[in-house]
Amino acid sequence: MDRIGNTDGCNLDSCRNAIVENLYIENSDDGVCMKSGLDGFGMNLAIPTENVLVQNITCGSGGRGGLVVGSEMCGGVRNITFRDSVLRGERG
């Protein structure tokens, strides 16, 4: 797969009580990523991503990060569960 930057499969940003399941993701970046706000806007809102279940996800071999928590984290994260997933990318 060509290395095209910032092609995340699924981003959850400041989400609450979410389920992400039964996905096949083939991309060149993160598969499923937890985020919670960027820079000043994110700090002012301070809304966390919380109570998330991610299950039965397959991330193909072209990805860099399979299941990711981070990068834009001004609001924080809590109670995130990853289970029953297959990660084939460079960093799993």
Side-chain angles (χ1 to χ4, degrees):
M1 171 166 289
D2 290 335
R3 290 290 180 200
I4 300 168
N6 200 16
T7 59
D8 292 347
C10 179
N11 285 323
L12 282 81
D13 193 332
S14 301
C15 293
R16 185 173 291 143
N17 304 323
I19 297 175
V20 178
E21 63 184 347
N22 303 323
L23 294 177
Y24 178 84
I25 299 168
E26 185 70 55
N27 63 353
S28 63
D29 204 356
D30 301 331
V32 178
C33 189
M34 303 296 129
K35 299 181 178 186
S36 63
L38 176 65
D39 298 333
F41 187 69
M43 285 187 268
N44 288 333
L45 289 177
I47 299 171
T49 291
E50 60 186 345
N51 305 325
V52 176
L53 171 61
V54 178
Q55 63 185 1
N56 194 27
I57 306 298
T58 299
C59 294
S61 60
R64 294 183 190 176
L67 306 175
V68 179
V69 177
S71 81
E72 299 165 14
M73 299 297 299
C74 293
V77 296
R78 57 180 168 244
N79 195 27
I80 309 297
T81 302
F82 296 107
R83 68 178 181 204
D84 302 327
S85 296
V86 177
L87 311 174
R88 296 187 176 120
E90 337 179 321
R91 292 184 238 164

